Amino acid sequence: MRRRLLALVCVSASLLGGCGLLPQGGGGARHTVTVWLMKDSASPEFLRRFTEDFERTRTDLDLDIRIQEWTGIGPKIQAALKSGSGKDGKESLPDVIEVGNTQVPQYVDRGGLLDLTLESMRDWGSDDWLPGLAEPGRQRGTQYGIPWYAANRVVIYRKDLFAEAGIKKPPRSRDEWLDVTAKLDSGANQGIYLAGQDWYTLSGFIWDEGGDLARQDEGAWKGTLDTPAALRGMDFYRRLQALGDGPADADEDHPPQAGVFAGGRVAQIIAVPGLVRAVLEKNPALEDKLGFFPVPGPTAGKPGAVFTGGSDLVVPQNTDDRAGAVAVVGALTGARWDSDLARTMDYVPNKAGLARAVAGEEGVAAMAAGAAQGRATPSTPEWAVVEADNPIKTYMTAVLTGTDPETAAGRASRRITEQLQVPLT
């Protein structure tokens, strides 16, 4: 989890100026907007460029960007949302906060986020946002999280092993992918290294079949791994996983798949493109031998669904500068700076129409193609309980080691339903 506002109503060179949407700088005193961004989300050079341009065009605003660590950020954000406006002790409280896209429901559930639905629809082109970023930020029809950037899995492959097997181009459909992988899985070569508990990858296969991990029924969330659609997704996972030597009882981090890919004759892995850096650190000889393609979908005309990770921007209700906070969110997530961030950091921009910004980077372009079909985990704060003691992993191992899929899926679905009834503390 490198490298203007699009159709913003009455946009001028002053970003959010004109039409009376926000007050503009004139002769008044400048005031400060405090922004919490996460470590490594944006490079210091990007933040310098953005700050200089924003403060030049918004002559009434200064930016105070505070970099935060992901570790322990949840309680810190919750404390900030519950505090009064202004300062909490010696530290200025945030007016804008970066949060993980799937974390938004947790903060909404406990209150404290500003409703940004009007700005989203009127000014920011919310209809064009990537679903995997936008949907977790929307609760009960209200938009709280504003999509900033995304990242998702692609297939990273060995061009040399494809050539040795006589495969001239990457597969574009699931059936073709199975055929190609079976051909690659020969002799000392693994067709693909796919750990048995890679549940994010499984999620995409389930979504492609029209299934889901859990769904809301009459106000209650229930596990749905035992539906026919979800079972078809698991069956495809089983067939693909068998074309390599991935462990049935471990996830992609045990052992780290970058090391497996670097150290053996593995033709493919499913991972974010940035994993290549770790692969090349271990095996620099693969520098010119790696390629990327989107996870194939059921048909050749469209990539497969993938889990979309990334970040949204939120505004606390206790901000004492709503207009300034909205101005910052609008600028950071608008076409100009969102594209700049994507190019700088190898991210996917927040709208599919901005994918051209990363078209020159093979891995990021493949990621952007998949992001158009991206989804997120069920949009309920209690999903964190499921991930903490994940029955999906247990289910996958059971199926891969011979347990009847319907029996294992029923057991896992009941457990997910139980977990989704446990309120977060």
Side-chain angles (χ1 to χ4, degrees), residues 73-391:
I73 191 59
K76 186 172 183 178
I77 291 177
Q78 295 289 3
L81 296 179
K82 293 177 181 178
S83 298
S85 62
K87 292 182 178 290
D88 181 12
K90 295 182 179 180
E91 185 174 9
S92 295
L93 290 170
D95 301 294
V96 177
I97 308 173
E98 175 192 351
V99 300
N101 61 324
T102 61
Q103 296 173 344
V104 178
Q106 299 176 40
Y107 301 125
V108 172
D109 185 64
R110 295 172 177 175
L113 295 187
L114 199 65
D115 177 354
L116 298 173
T117 308
L118 175 60
E119 291 85 354
S120 299
M121 298 176 65
R122 181 190 65 192
D123 306 329
W124 298 337
S126 58
D127 287 345
D128 299 324
W129 285 334
L130 296 174
L133 290 181
E135 290 172 359
R138 186 184 308 121
Q139 295 290 297
R140 297 176 289 278
T142 301
Q143 193 75 44
Y144 298 96
I146 308 305
W148 193 21
Y149 64 83
N152 52 264
R153 289 159 176 77
V154 302
V155 183
I156 307 173
Y157 73 102
R158 288 273 301 267
K159 294 179 179 180
D160 56 332
L161 298 185
F162 270 55
E164 288 177 13
I167 302 167
K168 298 181 179 180
K169 57 183 180 181
R172 298 182 62 221
S173 71
R174 276 192 188 176
D175 288 343
E176 187 180 353
W177 194 17
L178 285 173
D179 291 343
V180 163
T181 305
K183 193 173 183 179
L184 291 161
D185 190 42
S186 177
N189 295 342
Q190 293 186 56
I192 190 169
Y193 179 84
L194 181 58
Q197 296 182 349
D198 187 352
W199 70 277
Y200 283 122
T201 294
L202 170 65
S203 300
F205 300 158
I206 290 174
W207 293 328
D208 273 336
E209 294 292 343
D212 216 327
L213 307 176
R215 285 183 175 159
Q216 202 168 20
D217 181 18
E218 298 181 351
W221 282 92
K222 298 179 180 179
T224 53
L225 292 175
D226 54 348
T227 62
L231 287 166
R232 290 194 298 271
M234 182 65 220
D235 186 62
F236 178 79
Y237 190 100
R238 178 189 59 78
R239 296 165 65 194
L240 184 67
Q241 198 267 346
L243 300 174
D245 298 331
D249 59 350
D251 61 25
E252 62 274 25
D253 293 325
H254 301 90
Q257 64 176 345
V260 178
F261 194 45
R265 292 180 63 84
V266 175
Q268 304 169 88
I269 58 171
I270 303 172
V272 294
L275 191 75
V276 164
R277 289 190 293 273
V279 172
L280 295 180
E281 285 177 2
K282 295 178 179 297
N283 190 352
L286 296 178
E287 177 72 46
D288 299 318
K289 297 178 180 179
L290 303 181
F292 310 83
F293 59 89
V295 173
T299 63
K302 188 170 69 173
V306 288
F307 169 75
T308 303
S311 284
D312 286 7
L313 300 180
V314 299
V315 177
Q317 285 182 338
N318 59 16
T319 177
D320 55 7
D321 190 357
R322 184 189 195 283
V326 168
V328 173
V329 172
L332 275 171
T333 64
R336 176 188 174 189
W337 289 105
D338 207 65
S339 298
D340 189 318
L341 180 71
R343 287 190 296 267
T344 301
M345 303 298 295
D346 284 351
Y347 293 148
V348 177
N350 60 10
K351 296 179 179 179
L354 299 178
R356 61 186 178 276
V358 293
E361 296 287 338
E362 183 186 0
V364 188
M367 190 163 59
Q373 318 304 323
R375 296 275 299 274
T377 50
S379 189
T380 171
E382 285 76 29
W383 188 254
V385 178
V386 177
E387 293 197 20
D389 183 20
N390 199 325

